[in-house]
Coordinates of all heavy atoms in Angstrom, one line a residue:
E1 N 0.4 -2.0 -20.4 CA 1.7 -1.3 -20.2 C 1.3 0.1 -19.5 O 2.2 0.9 -19.5 CB 2.5 -1.1 -21.4 CG 3.1 -2.5 -21.7 CD 4.1 -2.4 -22.9 OE1 4.8 -1.3 -22.9 OE2 4.1 -3.2 -23.7
G2 N 0.0 0.5 -19.5 CA -0.3 1.8 -19.0 C -0.8 1.8 -17.6 O -1.1 0.8 -17.0
A3 N -0.9 3.0 -17.0 CA -1.3 3.2 -15.7 C -2.7 3.7 -15.8 O -3.2 4.4 -16.7 CB -0.6 4.2 -14.9
F4 N -3.6 3.4 -14.9 CA -5.1 3.7 -14.8 C -5.3 4.6 -13.5 O -6.2 4.2 -12.8 CB -5.9 2.5 -14.9 CG -5.6 1.5 -16.1 CD1 -4.8 0.5 -16.1 CD2 -6.2 2.0 -17.4 CE1 -4.5 -0.2 -17.2 CE2 -6.0 1.2 -18.5 CZ -5.1 0.0 -18.4
Y5 N -4.6 5.6 -13.3 CA -4.8 6.5 -12.3 C -4.9 7.9 -12.6 O -4.4 8.4 -13.6 CB -3.6 6.3 -11.3 CG -3.2 5.0 -11.0 CD1 -2.0 4.3 -11.5 CD2 -4.1 4.2 -10.1 CE1 -1.7 3.0 -11.2 CE2 -3.7 2.8 -9.9 CZ -2.6 2.2 -10.3 OH -2.3 0.9 -10.0
V6 N -5.5 8.6 -11.7 CA -5.6 10.1 -11.8 C -5.3 10.6 -10.4 O -5.6 9.9 -9.4 CB -6.9 10.6 -12.4 CG1 -8.1 10.2 -11.4 CG2 -6.9 12.1 -12.6
Y7 N -4.7 11.8 -10.2 CA -4.2 12.4 -9.0 C -4.9 13.7 -8.8 O -4.1 14.7 -8.9 CB -2.7 12.5 -8.9 CG -2.0 11.1 -8.8 CD1 -1.7 10.4 -10.0 CD2 -1.6 10.5 -7.7 CE1 -1.0 9.2 -10.1 CE2 -0.9 9.3 -7.7 CZ -0.6 8.7 -8.9 OH 0.1 7.4 -8.9
P8 N -6.2 13.7 -8.2 CA -6.7 15.1 -7.9 C -6.0 15.7 -6.8 O -5.6 15.0 -5.8 CB -8.1 14.7 -7.7 CG -8.4 13.3 -8.2 CD -7.1 12.6 -8.1
S9 N -6.0 17.0 -6.8 CA -5.4 17.8 -5.6 C -6.5 17.9 -4.5 O -7.7 18.0 -4.8 CB -5.1 19.2 -6.1 OG -4.7 20.0 -5.0
V10 N -6.0 17.9 -3.3 CA -6.8 18.1 -2.1 C -6.4 19.4 -1.4 O -6.9 19.5 -0.3 CB -6.9 16.9 -1.2 CG1 -7.4 15.6 -1.9 CG2 -5.5 16.6 -0.6
K11 N -5.6 20.1 -2.1 CA -5.1 21.4 -1.5 C -6.1 22.2 -0.9 O -6.0 22.8 0.3 CB -4.2 22.2 -2.5 CG -3.6 23.3 -1.9 CD -2.7 24.1 -2.9 CE -2.0 25.3 -2.3 NZ -1.2 26.0 -3.4
G12 N -7.3 22.4 -1.5 CA -8.3 23.2 -1.0 C -9.1 22.6 0.2 O -9.9 23.3 0.8
T13 N -9.0 21.4 0.6 CA -9.5 20.8 1.8 C -8.6 20.8 2.9 O -9.2 20.6 4.1 CB -9.9 19.3 1.4 OG1 -8.7 18.5 1.3 CG2 -10.7 19.2 0.1
I14 N -7.3 21.0 2.8 CA -6.4 21.1 4.0 C -6.9 22.3 4.9 O -7.1 23.4 4.6 CB -5.0 21.4 3.5 CG1 -4.5 20.3 2.5 CG2 -4.0 21.4 4.7 CD1 -4.6 18.8 3.0
G15 N -6.9 21.9 6.1 CA -7.4 22.8 7.2 C -8.9 22.9 7.4 O -9.4 23.4 8.4
K16 N -9.7 22.1 6.6 CA -11.1 22.1 6.8 C -11.6 21.0 7.8 O -10.7 20.1 7.9 CB -11.7 22.0 5.4 CG -11.7 23.2 4.5 CD -12.6 23.2 3.3 CE -12.4 24.5 2.6 NZ -13.3 24.6 1.4
K17 N -12.8 21.0 8.2 CA -13.3 20.1 9.1 C -14.3 19.3 8.5 O -15.1 19.7 7.7 CB -13.9 20.7 10.4 CG -12.8 21.3 11.3 CD -13.4 21.9 12.5 CE -12.3 22.7 13.4 NZ -13.0 23.2 14.5
T18 N -14.4 18.0 8.8 CA -15.4 17.1 8.4 C -16.7 17.4 9.3 O -16.6 18.1 10.4 CB -15.1 15.5 8.7 OG1 -14.9 15.4 10.0 CG2 -13.7 15.2 7.9
P19 N -17.9 16.9 8.9 CA -19.0 17.2 9.7 C -18.9 16.7 11.2 O -19.6 17.4 12.1 CB -20.1 16.4 9.1 CG -19.7 16.3 7.6 CD -18.2 16.2 7.7
D20 N -18.1 15.7 11.5 CA -17.9 15.2 12.8 C -16.7 16.0 13.5 O -16.4 15.6 14.7 CB -17.8 13.7 13.0 CG -16.6 13.2 12.2 OD1 -15.8 13.9 11.5 OD2 -16.3 11.9 12.3
G21 N -16.1 17.0 12.9 CA -15.2 17.8 13.6 C -13.7 17.5 13.4 O -12.8 18.1 13.9
Q22 N -13.4 16.4 12.5 CA -12.0 16.1 12.3 C -11.4 17.0 11.2 O -12.0 17.3 10.2 CB -12.0 14.7 11.7 CG -12.5 13.6 12.5 CD -11.7 13.4 13.9 OE1 -10.5 13.4 13.7 NE2 -12.4 13.0 14.8
V23 N -10.2 17.4 11.7 CA -9.4 18.5 10.7 C -8.7 17.6 9.7 O -7.9 16.7 10.0 CB -8.6 19.3 11.6 CG1 -7.8 20.3 10.7 CG2 -9.4 20.1 12.6
I24 N -8.8 18.1 8.4 CA -7.9 17.5 7.4 C -6.7 18.2 7.3 O -6.6 19.5 7.0 CB -8.6 17.5 6.0 CG1 -10.0 16.8 6.1 CG2 -7.8 17.0 4.9 CD1 -10.8 16.8 4.9
E25 N -5.6 17.5 7.8 CA -4.2 18.2 7.8 C -3.3 17.8 6.7 O -2.4 18.4 6.4 CB -3.6 17.9 9.1 CG -4.4 18.5 10.3 CD -3.8 18.2 11.7 OE1 -2.6 17.6 11.7 OE2 -4.4 18.8 12.7
T26 N -3.7 16.5 6.1 CA -2.8 16.0 5.0 C -3.7 15.2 4.0 O -4.9 15.0 4.3 CB -1.8 14.9 5.6 OG1 -2.6 13.8 6.1 CG2 -1.0 15.5 6.7
D27 N -3.1 14.8 2.8 CA -3.8 14.0 1.9 C -4.1 12.6 2.5 O -5.1 12.0 2.1 CB -3.1 14.0 0.6 CG -1.7 13.5 0.8 OD1 -0.9 14.3 1.4 OD2 -1.2 12.6 0.2
G28 N -3.3 12.2 3.5 CA -3.5 11.0 4.1 C -4.9 11.0 4.9 O -5.6 10.1 5.0
D29 N -5.0 12.3 5.6 CA -6.3 12.4 6.4 C -7.6 12.4 5.3 O -8.5 11.7 5.7 CB -6.2 13.8 7.1 CG -5.4 13.8 8.2 OD1 -5.0 12.8 8.7 OD2 -5.0 15.0 8.6
F30 N -7.3 13.1 4.4 CA -8.4 13.0 3.3 C -8.9 11.7 2.9 O -10.0 11.3 2.9 CB -8.0 13.9 2.0 CG -9.1 14.1 1.0 CD1 -10.0 15.1 1.0 CD2 -9.2 13.0 0.0 CE1 -11.0 15.3 0.2 CE2 -10.2 13.2 -1.0 CZ -11.0 14.4 -1.0
V31 N -7.9 10.8 2.6 CA -8.3 9.5 2.1 C -8.8 8.6 3.2 O -9.8 7.9 3.0 CB -7.1 8.8 1.3 CG1 -6.7 9.5 0.0 CG2 -6.0 8.4 2.2
T32 N -8.4 8.8 4.4 CA -8.9 8.2 5.5 C -10.4 8.5 5.8 O -11.2 7.6 6.0 CB -8.1 8.4 6.8 OG1 -6.8 8.0 6.7 CG2 -8.7 7.9 8.0
Y33 N -10.8 9.8 5.6 CA -12.0 10.3 6.0 C -13.0 9.9 4.8 O -14.2 9.6 5.1 CB -12.1 11.7 6.3 CG -11.2 12.0 7.5 CD1 -10.4 13.3 7.5 CD2 -11.2 11.4 8.6 CE1 -9.8 13.6 8.6 CE2 -10.4 11.6 9.7 CZ -9.8 12.7 9.7 OH -9.0 13.1 10.8
I34 N -12.6 9.9 3.6 CA -13.5 9.6 2.4 C -13.8 8.1 2.5 O -14.9 7.6 2.2 CB -13.1 10.0 1.1 CG1 -11.8 9.3 0.7 CG2 -13.0 11.5 0.9 CD1 -11.5 9.5 -0.9
L35 N -12.9 7.3 3.1 CA -13.1 5.8 3.2 C -14.1 5.7 4.4 O -15.1 5.0 4.2 CB -11.8 5.1 3.5 CG -12.1 3.6 3.8 CD1 -12.7 2.9 2.6 CD2 -10.7 2.9 4.1
E36 N -13.8 6.3 5.4 CA -14.7 6.1 6.7 C -16.2 6.7 6.5 O -17.1 6.1 6.8 CB -14.1 6.8 7.9 CG -12.8 6.2 8.5 CD -12.1 6.9 9.6 OE1 -12.6 8.0 9.9 OE2 -11.1 6.4 10.1
L37 N -16.2 7.9 5.9 CA -17.5 8.6 5.8 C -18.3 8.3 4.5 O -19.5 8.5 4.5 CB -17.3 10.1 5.9 CG -16.7 10.5 7.2 CD1 -16.4 11.9 7.2 CD2 -17.5 10.2 8.4
E38 N -17.6 8.0 3.4 CA -18.3 7.8 2.2 C -18.0 6.4 1.5 O -18.6 6.1 0.5 CB -17.9 8.8 1.1 CG -18.4 10.2 1.5 CD -19.9 10.3 1.4 OE1 -20.6 9.5 0.8 OE2 -20.4 11.4 1.9
G39 N -17.0 5.6 2.2 CA -16.9 4.3 1.7 C -16.2 4.4 0.3 O -16.2 3.4 -0.5
V40 N -15.2 5.4 0.0 CA -14.5 5.5 -1.2 C -13.1 5.2 -0.8 O -12.4 5.9 0.0 CB -14.7 6.9 -1.9 CG1 -13.7 7.0 -3.1 CG2 -16.0 7.1 -2.3
A41 N -12.3 4.2 -1.5 CA -11.0 3.8 -1.3 C -10.1 4.5 -2.2 O -10.4 4.5 -3.5 CB -10.9 2.4 -1.4
A42 N -9.1 5.2 -1.7 CA -8.1 5.9 -2.5 C -6.8 5.8 -1.8 O -6.8 5.4 -0.6 CB -8.5 7.3 -2.7
V43 N -5.7 6.3 -2.5 CA -4.3 6.2 -1.8 C -3.9 7.6 -1.7 O -4.0 8.5 -2.7 CB -3.4 5.4 -2.7 CG1 -2.2 5.3 -2.0 CG2 -4.0 4.0 -2.8
Q44 N -3.3 8.2 -0.6 CA -2.7 9.4 -0.5 C -1.5 9.5 -1.4 O -0.8 8.8 -1.7 CB -2.3 9.7 0.9 CG -1.1 8.9 1.5 CD -1.4 7.5 2.0 OE1 -2.5 6.8 1.7 NE2 -0.5 7.0 3.0
G45 N -1.4 10.7 -2.0 CA -0.5 11.1 -2.9 C 0.9 11.0 -2.3 O 1.9 10.8 -2.9
E46 N 1.0 11.3 -1.0 CA 2.2 11.2 -0.3 C 3.0 10.1 -0.5 O 4.3 10.0 -0.6 CB 2.0 11.5 1.3 CG 3.3 11.4 2.0 CD 3.0 11.6 3.5 OE1 1.9 11.2 4.0 OE2 3.9 12.0 4.3
A47 N 2.3 8.8 -0.8 CA 3.0 7.5 -1.0 C 3.8 7.6 -2.3 O 4.6 6.7 -2.4 CB 1.9 6.5 -0.9
F48 N 3.4 8.5 -3.2 CA 4.2 8.6 -4.4 C 4.8 9.9 -4.6 O 5.2 10.3 -5.8 CB 3.0 8.4 -5.6 CG 2.1 7.3 -5.4 CD1 0.9 7.5 -4.8 CD2 2.6 6.1 -5.7 CE1 0.0 6.3 -4.5 CE2 1.8 4.9 -5.5 CZ 0.5 5.0 -5.0
G49 N 5.0 10.6 -3.5 CA 5.7 11.8 -3.6 C 4.9 12.9 -4.3 O 5.4 13.9 -4.8
L50 N 3.5 12.8 -4.2 CA 2.7 13.7 -4.8 C 1.7 14.4 -3.9 O 0.5 14.5 -4.3 CB 2.0 13.0 -6.0 CG 2.8 12.4 -7.1 CD1 2.0 11.6 -8.1 CD2 3.5 13.6 -7.9
S51 N 2.1 14.7 -2.7 CA 1.2 15.4 -1.8 C 1.1 16.8 -2.2 O 2.0 17.5 -2.8 CB 1.9 15.3 -0.4 OG 1.1 15.6 0.7
P52 N 0.0 17.5 -2.1 CA -1.3 17.0 -1.4 C -2.3 16.6 -2.5 O -3.4 17.3 -2.8 CB -1.8 18.3 -0.8 CG -1.4 19.4 -1.7 CD -0.1 19.0 -2.4
H53 N -2.0 15.4 -3.1 CA -3.0 14.9 -4.1 C -3.4 13.6 -3.5 O -2.9 13.0 -2.6 CB -2.3 14.7 -5.4 CG -2.0 16.0 -6.0 ND1 -0.9 16.7 -5.7 CD2 -2.6 16.6 -7.0 CE1 -1.0 17.9 -6.4 NE2 -1.9 17.8 -7.2
F54 N -4.4 12.8 -4.2 CA -4.7 11.5 -3.8 C -4.8 10.7 -5.1 O -5.2 11.3 -6.2 CB -6.0 11.4 -3.0 CG -7.3 11.8 -3.5 CD1 -8.3 10.7 -3.8 CD2 -7.6 13.0 -3.9 CE1 -9.5 11.1 -4.4 CE2 -8.8 13.4 -4.5 CZ -9.8 12.4 -4.6
R55 N -4.8 9.3 -5.1 CA -4.8 8.6 -6.3 C -6.0 7.8 -6.4 O -6.4 7.2 -5.5 CB -3.6 7.6 -6.3 CG -3.5 6.9 -7.6 CD -2.3 5.9 -7.6 NE -2.6 4.6 -7.0 CZ -1.9 3.5 -7.0 NH1 -0.7 3.5 -7.6 NH2 -2.2 2.5 -6.4
I56 N -6.7 8.0 -7.6 CA -7.9 7.2 -7.9 C -7.5 6.2 -9.1 O -7.0 6.7 -10.0 CB -9.0 8.1 -8.2 CG1 -9.4 9.0 -7.2 CG2 -10.3 7.2 -8.7 CD1 -10.3 10.1 -7.6
S57 N -7.8 5.1 -9.0 CA -7.8 4.1 -10.0 C -9.1 4.2 -10.9 O -10.1 4.2 -10.4 CB -7.5 2.6 -9.6 OG -7.6 1.9 -10.7
Y58 N -8.9 4.2 -12.2 CA -10.1 4.2 -13.0 C -10.2 3.0 -13.9 O -10.9 3.0 -14.9 CB -10.2 5.6 -13.9 CG -9.1 5.9 -14.8 CD1 -9.0 5.5 -16.2 CD2 -8.0 6.7 -14.4 CE1 -8.0 5.6 -16.9 CE2 -7.0 6.9 -15.3 CZ -6.9 6.4 -16.5 OH -5.9 6.7 -17.3
A59 N -9.6 2.0 -13.4 CA -9.6 0.6 -14.0 C -10.9 -0.1 -13.4 O -10.7 -1.1 -12.8 CB -8.4 -0.1 -13.9
T60 N -12.1 0.4 -13.6 CA -13.2 0.0 -13.1 C -14.4 0.4 -14.0 O -14.2 1.2 -15.0 CB -13.5 0.2 -11.6 OG1 -14.7 -0.5 -11.2 CG2 -13.7 1.8 -11.5
S61 N -15.6 0.0 -13.7 CA -16.7 0.4 -14.6 C -17.1 1.9 -14.4 O -16.9 2.5 -13.5 CB -18.0 -0.4 -14.2 OG -18.5 0.0 -12.9
E62 N -17.7 2.4 -15.5 CA -18.1 3.8 -15.5 C -19.1 4.0 -14.4 O -19.0 5.1 -13.7 CB -18.7 4.2 -16.9 CG -18.8 5.7 -17.1 CD -19.3 6.0 -18.4 OE1 -18.8 5.4 -19.4 OE2 -20.1 7.1 -18.5
A63 N -19.9 3.1 -14.2 CA -21.0 3.4 -13.1 C -20.5 3.4 -11.7 O -20.7 4.3 -10.9 CB -21.9 2.2 -13.1
Q64 N -19.3 2.7 -11.5 CA -18.7 2.8 -10.1 C -17.9 4.0 -10.1 O -17.8 4.6 -9.1 CB -17.7 1.6 -10.0 CG -18.5 0.3 -9.7 CD -17.5 -0.9 -9.4 OE1 -16.6 -1.1 -10.2 NE2 -17.7 -1.7 -8.4
L65 N -17.3 4.5 -11.1 CA -16.6 5.8 -11.1 C -17.4 7.0 -10.9 O -17.2 7.9 -10.1 CB -15.7 6.0 -12.4 CG -14.5 5.1 -12.6 CD1 -14.0 5.2 -14.1 CD2 -13.4 5.4 -11.6
E66 N -18.6 6.9 -11.6 CA -19.6 8.0 -11.4 C -20.1 8.0 -9.8 O -20.2 9.1 -9.3 CB -20.8 7.9 -12.3 CG -20.5 8.1 -13.7 CD -21.7 7.9 -14.6 OE1 -22.8 7.7 -14.1 OE2 -21.4 8.0 -15.8
E67 N -20.4 6.8 -9.2 CA -20.8 6.8 -7.9 C -19.6 7.2 -6.9 O -20.0 8.1 -6.0 CB -21.3 5.3 -7.5 CG -21.7 5.2 -6.1 CD -22.8 6.1 -5.7 OE1 -23.7 6.4 -6.7 OE2 -23.0 6.4 -4.6
A68 N -18.5 6.9 -7.2 CA -17.3 7.3 -6.4 C -17.2 8.9 -6.5 O -17.0 9.5 -5.5 CB -16.1 6.7 -6.8
C69 N -17.4 9.4 -7.7 CA -17.2 10.9 -7.9 C -18.3 11.6 -7.2 O -18.0 12.6 -6.5 CB -17.3 11.1 -9.3 SG -15.7 10.8 -10.2
K70 N -19.5 11.1 -7.1 CA -20.6 11.6 -6.4 C -20.4 11.6 -4.9 O -20.6 12.7 -4.3 CB -21.9 10.9 -6.6 CG -22.5 11.1 -8.0 CD -23.7 10.3 -8.2 CE -24.3 10.4 -9.7 NZ -25.4 9.5 -9.9
R71 N -19.8 10.5 -4.4 CA -19.4 10.5 -3.1 C -18.3 11.4 -2.6 O -18.4 12.1 -1.4 CB -19.1 9.0 -2.7 CG -20.3 8.1 -2.8 CD -19.9 6.6 -2.4 NE -20.9 5.7 -2.6 CZ -20.9 4.5 -2.0 NH1 -20.0 4.2 -1.2 NH2 -21.9 3.7 -2.2
I72 N -17.3 11.6 -3.5 CA -16.2 12.5 -3.2 C -16.8 13.9 -3.2 O -16.3 14.7 -2.3 CB -15.1 12.3 -4.2 CG1 -14.4 10.9 -4.0 CG2 -14.1 13.4 -4.1 CD1 -13.5 10.6 -5.2
Q73 N -17.6 14.2 -4.1 CA -18.2 15.6 -4.1 C -19.1 16.0 -2.9 O -19.0 17.0 -2.4 CB -19.1 15.7 -5.4 CG -18.3 15.9 -6.7 CD -19.1 16.0 -7.9 OE1 -20.2 15.2 -8.1 NE2 -18.9 16.9 -8.8
R74 N -19.8 14.9 -2.5 CA -20.6 15.0 -1.3 C -19.7 15.2 -0.1 O -20.1 16.2 0.7 CB -21.6 13.8 -1.2 CG -22.5 13.9 0.0 CD -23.5 12.8 0.0 NE -22.8 11.5 0.0 CZ -23.3 10.3 -0.6 NH1 -24.5 10.3 -1.3 NH2 -22.7 9.3 -0.5
F75 N -18.7 14.5 0.0 CA -17.8 14.7 1.2 C -17.2 16.0 1.1 O -17.1 16.8 2.1 CB -16.8 13.6 1.0 CG -15.6 13.8 2.1 CD1 -15.8 13.4 3.4 CD2 -14.3 14.3 1.6 CE1 -14.8 13.6 4.3 CE2 -13.3 14.5 2.6 CZ -13.5 14.2 3.9
C76 N -16.7 16.5 0.0 CA -16.1 17.9 0.0 C -17.0 19.0 0.2 O -16.7 19.9 0.9 CB -15.4 18.0 -1.5 SG -14.0 17.0 -1.7
A77 N -18.3 18.8 -0.3 CA -19.4 19.8 0.1 C -19.7 19.9 1.5 O -20.1 21.0 1.9 CB -20.6 19.6 -0.8
A78 N -19.5 18.9 2.3 CA -19.8 18.8 3.7 C -18.8 19.5 4.5 O -18.9 19.7 5.7 CB -20.2 17.5 4.1
L79 N -17.5 19.7 4.0 CA -16.4 20.1 4.8 C -16.7 21.6 5.1 O -17.3 22.5 4.4 CB -15.1 20.1 4.0 CG -14.6 18.6 3.7 CD1 -13.4 18.7 2.7 CD2 -14.4 17.9 4.9
R80 N -16.2 22.0 6.3 CA -16.3 23.3 6.8 C -15.0 23.9 7.2 O -14.2 23.4 7.8 CB -17.4 23.5 7.9 CG -18.7 23.0 7.5 CD -19.3 24.0 6.6 NE -20.6 23.6 6.0 CZ -20.7 23.4 4.7 NH1 -19.9 23.8 3.8 NH2 -21.9 22.9 4.3

């Protein structure tokens, strides 16, 4: 009966560029680029009225969550 989601903010990434020059204009852009560049699947917060956030499900193994978090951190660190 519970939800297994967390909604981190991407507000600090709006307006930044990916290493290949793509500008993040929305939380939808953010989730598109982390999927394309890091292989992390997430859902834009806009779909739930929670822009500029993104939804991560934590109904998976701790090892997978740790790897996903490392990839998200790497992606965010590469933004300019």
Side-chain angles (χ1 to χ4, degrees):
E1 291 187 37
F4 300 99
Y5 306 110
V6 63
Y7 292 85
S9 174
V10 298
K11 184 177 181 180
T13 68
I14 302 298
K16 293 192 176 184
K17 291 183 181 179
T18 65
D20 61 355
Q22 300 292 324
V23 178
I24 298 175
E25 296 179 1
T26 66
D27 49 301
D29 291 340
F30 182 88
V31 298
T32 297
Y33 299 142
I34 63 168
L35 178 60
E36 290 175 358
L37 301 173
E38 292 290 346
V40 175
V43 180
Q44 69 272 24
E46 180 182 24
F48 308 97
L50 296 172
S51 194
H53 295 76
F54 70 111
R55 185 176 87 170
I56 300 172
S57 171
Y58 58 89
T60 189
S61 73
E62 189 172 329
Q64 287 181 316
L65 289 171
E66 287 178 10
E67 180 61 27
C69 287
K70 287 177 188 176
R71 292 178 185 200
I72 293 167
Q73 286 178 316
R74 182 172 58 215
F75 172 78
C76 289
L79 297 174
R80 300 287 171 240

